[in-house]
Amino acid sequence: MLGFEDNRPLGEVIPAKQARAIEKYLGITTCGELLRYYPRRYLHYGTGADLSGVQAGDTVTVVGQVLDSVTYPSKKQPKRPITKVDVHDGATLFKVSFFGSNYARRVLQPGRQVMFTGKLDYYRGEPQLQHPDFVLLDGPTEATGALRQLGHFGDIEQMLAGREWLPLYRKKDKLNSWTVMGAIHTVLKTLPRIDEPLGFTPIGLLPLNAAVRQVHEPGPEGPWRAVERLKYDEALSVALAMGVRRMDAAAHSAPELPYKQDGDEAALLERLPFPLTRGQKEVVADITGDMANNTPMSRLLQGEVGSGKTIVSLLAMLQAVDNGAQAALLAPTEVLVMQHARSLTMTLLNAGLPTRVVALTGSMPVAQRQDALLKIVSGEADIVVGTHALLQEGVDFFNLGLVVVDEQHRFGVEQRDTLREKAGETTPHLLVMTATPIPRTIAITVFGDLEVSTLRELPGGRKPIQSAVVPEFKPRWVERAWEKIREEVAAGHQAYVVCPRIDGEGGVLEVAEELSATEYKDLEVGVLHGRMKGEEKDAVMADFAKGGLDVLISTTVIEVGVDVPNATVMMVRESEHFGVSQLHQLRGRVGRGGNASLCLFHTLAEEGTPGFTRVSQVAATSDGFALAELDLLNRGEGDVLGTGQSGIKRTLKLINMVEDYDIVRRAYDDAAHLVKNNPEFARAATADFEAEDFEYLDKS
């Protein structure tokens, strides 16, 4: 990684017992790893503790001045006098109590600067701390309780002398913030000067040597310039890795697949029953130009639900077919694969085109699968639609020219690369698509190796989907929602009911059984969920698509890509259990046929709770890009990027995907310059990055 390395074993620098504890609870074994374990927040003398979101029983740290101190005997235990101290932290007055502590009685005198750590309580609305650990900050001291951990790393008074800012580190099991603080203080004392990784300090930023030290031990001006520099280095590391990926992709040779005036693509454009939107025309022009070159296209197409990405991808696939090449469409679920295969086939048939579409899934019967494989390897299949089964050994293409990946965030970089490698000597062009709008910071971070195209407008005839929140605490509203579904069915339309689970109360099976026996006993009610076999799911979806079912009770397997134009109403049950983007995706399953449509967000959440607020925000806007930013704000980039598996998140410890766009943008501009002018440096700086470090993982 770009920056600095300090591979000294931690046990050679700090006491062995504390080194073992840090390894046990944090998995950290080297000095460099410890220095990248950044404070979660800071205490600044006189500015007050942030008590927002803090509840009684939570442990807090308070830095303030003693205003008053009184000691009096306890009636129950005369030998344990009670010392009560008023402490003001610059914003809040805390009542602090000690029982039988002669040290507290002696040293906690008015005017002293003290740091307290203990469990917060409230009495008559006033914040209280009972017998907290503490340490004096303005003179001779001995720490109490957990704060004694600082003593393992040297003189506490010397360690805290002159500090206006105190770092607080995340407590992990039995490892407290003070142990980490003391260990980092010891490492910093022995840390050699850090050289600039670029050979110079970027304009306007703090030198890296100062930033690494000040992020843990800020001076009077605070830690913010240090944090800014380290954020820049994080973003630059990822940007360089993405730049190298882009450079490497451009070095490969791709088949030249120019637009053919007399080809199937041109014929489909002439015979479509609707005109392309301006945005679709622009994206098609970009893709047409990319595919005509012998440099592999690497393009991300993001678009609102229903913005017409599928027809754009079909035109691109026909451009490949027009040049004698095959196209592969990779989709995340078997339901979506079969949906795509049927939809593409019907579009081509209606246009009178002979293009051959073949589907391949893991659950196909052996004979059907063998037939599909033969058509793929012989070249009889022009367009191949499949799940990850396309990545398996034994799937060989005759002449693969274009790979289209639908719902890109379900697939990793390595999986995409595996499919591209199946083309043999040349690298096929790549188009990845997502209906989950991507916040702009993530777009340039996680997808920095791709050109980004965006479809914002809906095709003509599409009407905005009306949305409403249906709270369980308003029974009449819930009753009206069920009535509305019946009214839509009576008008000749169809409905979805989405449940958060399969079994149990409120699950698909229970809701379907109850509705079939009561409100909708005279309607055709179907069930769809992830435990069903592939052919069962396909049969249900096919039945629903042709109008054989009035109401489909389903889990989120219908979230992506399912296209039934006659469906005009959806009820999402217990919608507080779903994320912002997921609710927006589900809503996009209705309103696809030009009819006025409605999405009802049922919720068990009480008004004013985070869940209720989130659902209300989704209902209030249909702008997927605004909702993507809201999703990031609500859940944080850790969830959006994926946890545990995402190297991006391991690398971006400080970057805030909501607030730090300007820093990330600057880093990416600088990285592009470095990759162009000093590719050897860029490759060396990112040598330890792996492809899986750049996964944009599904959050569900």
Side-chain angles (χ1 to χ4, degrees):
M1 174 181 168
L2 181 71
F4 72 97
E5 294 297 331
D6 185 352
N7 295 317
R8 292 176 296 163
L10 203 53
E12 294 181 4
V13 180
I14 69 171
K17 181 179 178 181
Q18 281 66 41
R20 287 195 297 270
I22 289 172
E23 180 178 3
K24 178 179 178 180
Y25 295 113
L26 300 181
I28 288 173
T29 59
T30 70
C31 293
E33 290 171 347
L34 184 64
L35 291 177
R36 289 193 176 94
Y37 189 75
Y38 301 119
R40 63 183 175 89
R41 64 186 184 94
Y42 299 87
L43 287 177
H44 185 209
Y45 302 169
T47 59
D50 181 9
L51 297 182
S52 58
V54 179
Q55 300 178 350
D58 290 348
T59 298
V60 297
T61 296
V62 175
V63 173
Q65 185 178 57
V66 177
L67 301 182
D68 191 23
S69 179
V70 178
T71 300
Y72 55 89
S74 168
K75 293 180 180 179
K76 293 183 179 181
Q77 300 183 55
K79 293 183 178 180
R80 298 190 69 207
I82 299 171
T83 299
K84 292 207 167 183
V85 180
D86 289 346
V87 175
H88 197 272
D89 70 350
T92 306
L93 181 69
F94 290 82
K95 299 288 187 178
V96 184
S97 303
F98 294 89
F99 300 89
S101 173
N102 290 325
Y103 178 63
R105 175 182 57 80
R106 188 172 74 251
V107 301
L108 295 180
Q109 297 301 315
R112 300 305 299 269
Q113 292 283 345
V114 193
M115 179 173 67
F116 298 95
T117 296
K119 288 188 177 180
L120 180 70
D121 202 354
Y122 288 92
Y123 179 68
R124 293 181 178 176
E126 293 184 329
Q128 315 270 322
L129 295 173
Q130 289 194 1
H131 216 86
D133 301 331
F134 71 93
V135 61
L136 302 179
L137 299 174
D138 57 358
T141 186
E142 59 180 79
T144 67
L147 290 168
R148 290 197 186 99
Q149 295 295 329
L150 286 172
H152 294 297
F153 303 96
D155 183 88
I156 295 176
E157 183 179 346
Q158 187 180 50
M159 203 179 301
L160 299 176
R163 289 203 189 199
E164 290 188 27
W165 297 78
L166 283 173
L168 293 182
Y169 299 89
R170 194 169 301 281
K171 183 179 183 294
K172 193 73 177 288
D173 297 321
K174 295 180 180 179
L175 185 72
N176 61 43
S177 176
W178 316 114
T179 298
V180 177
M181 176 180 166
I184 288 177
H185 177 75
T186 302
V187 169
L188 287 175
K189 284 196 303 184
T190 61
L191 181 68
R193 179 180 178 79
I194 299 172
D195 294 328
E196 285 293 334
L198 300 177
F200 59 89
T201 302
I203 296 172
L205 296 177
L206 206 62
L208 183 59
N209 179 63
V212 171
R213 298 173 193 276
Q214 291 179 27
V215 74
H216 295 291
E217 297 185 350
E221 70 281 358
W224 313 122
R225 290 198 65 208
V227 171
E228 180 187 29
R229 170 59 200 269
L230 295 172
K231 284 181 176 181
Y232 172 82
D233 280 31
E234 286 183 354
L236 187 63
S237 296
V238 178
L240 284 171
M242 288 300 184
V244 169
R245 275 186 60 82
R246 188 192 291 256
M247 177 177 66
D248 288 345
H252 288 87
S253 176
E256 294 182 10
L257 306 174
Y259 176 77
K260 302 282 189 180
Q261 294 283 355
D262 58 349
D264 288 351
E265 180 183 10
L268 179 61
L269 275 169
E270 288 180 4
R271 300 170 190 174
L272 282 175
F274 51 82
L276 296 184
T277 65
R278 184 180 64 179
Q280 286 174 317
K281 290 177 182 177
E282 291 174 354
V283 173
V284 168
D286 289 339
I287 292 171
T288 296
D290 288 347
M291 291 178 62
N293 294 323
N294 64 0
T295 299
M297 174 178 71
S298 293
R299 185 170 292 276
L300 168 67
L301 174 57
Q302 61 171 343
E304 281 281 19
V305 173
S307 60
K309 296 180 298 300
T310 303
I311 196 66
V312 169
S313 70
L314 177 55
L315 289 167
M317 289 188 281
L318 288 178
Q319 186 167 332
V321 174
D322 284 343
N323 286 276
Q326 292 170 297
L329 173 57
L330 188 63
T333 66
E334 294 193 356
V335 168
L336 189 51
V337 165
M338 301 312 297
Q339 173 87 28
H340 273 315
R342 282 193 296 268
S343 174
L344 295 177
T345 299
M346 287 304 300
T347 301
L348 293 165
L349 285 174
N350 290 337
L353 298 176
T355 314
R356 292 153 297 188
V357 179
V358 170
L360 181 67
T361 67
S363 65
M364 276 183 169
V366 174
Q368 190 177 347
R369 177 179 170 80
Q370 290 298 327
D371 181 60
L373 290 172
L374 183 60
K375 288 176 179 176
I376 295 169
V377 74
S378 67
E380 184 180 344
D382 297 313
I383 295 174
V384 182
V385 187
T387 60
H388 63 278
L390 288 181
L391 305 176
Q392 297 171 357
E393 291 185 14
V395 182
D396 296 309
F397 288 83
F398 176 73
N399 180 22
L400 183 60
L402 172 67
V403 175
V404 180
V405 181
D406 193 21
E407 287 310 313
Q408 131 71 26
H409 59 285
R410 307 284 186 104
F411 293 92
V413 170
E414 282 192 327
Q415 287 177 302
R416 297 202 307 265
D417 286 350
T418 298
L419 188 56
R420 293 177 70 160
E421 287 166 4
K422 287 182 174 290
E425 295 182 3
T426 59
T427 298
H429 299 282
L430 174 67
L431 176 67
V432 296
M433 305 191 298
T434 178
T436 304
I438 301 165
R440 58 183 186 166
T441 311
I442 288 181
I444 61 173
T445 303
V446 186
F447 301 108
D449 59 333
L450 303 174
E451 296 289 341
V452 180
S453 295
T454 302
L455 291 175
R456 289 184 176 271
E457 56 191 316
L458 296 180
R462 287 280 174 89
K463 295 180 180 178
I465 302 166
Q466 299 298 312
S467 301
V469 179
V470 183
E472 184 71 20
F473 59 77
K474 294 191 175 183
R476 181 67 191 102
W477 290 27
V478 178
E479 184 181 338
R480 178 70 188 110
W482 292 122
E483 289 174 358
K484 180 62 178 174
I485 291 175
R486 174 176 281 281
E487 289 169 6
E488 288 295 309
V489 172
H493 300 305
Q494 293 165 279
Y496 295 101
V497 176
V498 179
C499 301
R501 63 192 72 88
I502 300 174
D503 299 307
E505 186 177 357
V508 167
L509 300 180
E510 184 197 73
V511 170
E513 183 179 0
E514 184 177 333
L515 289 177
S516 298
T518 55
E519 283 98 328
Y520 301 158
K521 60 184 177 182
D522 56 333
L523 302 181
E524 292 296 329
V525 176
V527 169
L528 184 68
H529 57 75
R531 284 211 306 261
M532 296 167 65
K533 293 180 180 179
E535 57 268 26
E536 292 177 314
K537 287 186 282 191
D538 291 340
V540 171
M541 276 310 306
D543 195 17
F544 187 62
K546 70 183 182 184
L549 299 174
D550 299 312
V551 181
L552 181 61
I553 317 293
S554 172
T555 57
T556 57
V557 293
I558 55 97
E559 174 190 354
V560 174
V562 172
D563 188 1
V564 179
N566 193 44
T568 58
V569 61
M570 170 182 288
M571 181 193 286
V572 183
R573 299 282 299 171
E574 300 179 38
S575 54
E576 71 277 9
H577 291 302
F578 302 99
V580 170
S581 292
Q582 198 169 30
L583 291 175
H584 184 55
Q585 284 277 2
L586 288 168
R587 175 169 53 190
R589 296 310 104 211
V590 295
R592 304 180 73 85
N595 299 302
S597 297
L598 174 67
C599 186
L600 302 165
F601 294 117
H602 166 268
T603 178
L604 300 177
E606 294 296 324
E607 198 166 7
T609 62
F612 189 92
T613 300
R614 183 176 67 254
V615 171
S616 300
Q617 289 171 324
V618 175
T621 180
S622 59
D623 183 345
F625 293 91
L627 289 174
E629 300 288 344
L630 174 66
D631 193 24
L632 194 56
L633 190 63
N634 272 319
R635 302 190 300 122
E637 63 268 27
D639 290 327
V640 175
L641 288 171
T643 56
Q645 305 172 66
S646 174
I648 279 281
K649 185 56 186 169
R650 289 195 298 271
T651 303
L652 301 183
K653 297 176 184 296
L654 290 172
I655 287 286
N656 182 301
M657 289 292 183
V658 179
E659 300 173 356
D660 292 327
Y661 175 78
D662 289 342
I663 293 175
V664 173
R665 179 76 267 171
R666 174 182 173 177
Y668 269 71
D669 290 343
D670 292 349
H673 180 79
L674 283 166
V675 171
K676 180 180 179 181
N677 295 289
N678 195 348
E680 295 80 11
F681 170 82
R683 191 175 301 283
T686 59
D688 59 342
F689 278 59
E690 300 293 340
E692 63 267 22
D693 287 344
F694 307 104
E695 307 261 353
Y696 181 81
L697 299 173
D698 182 31
K699 52 270 179 193
S700 60

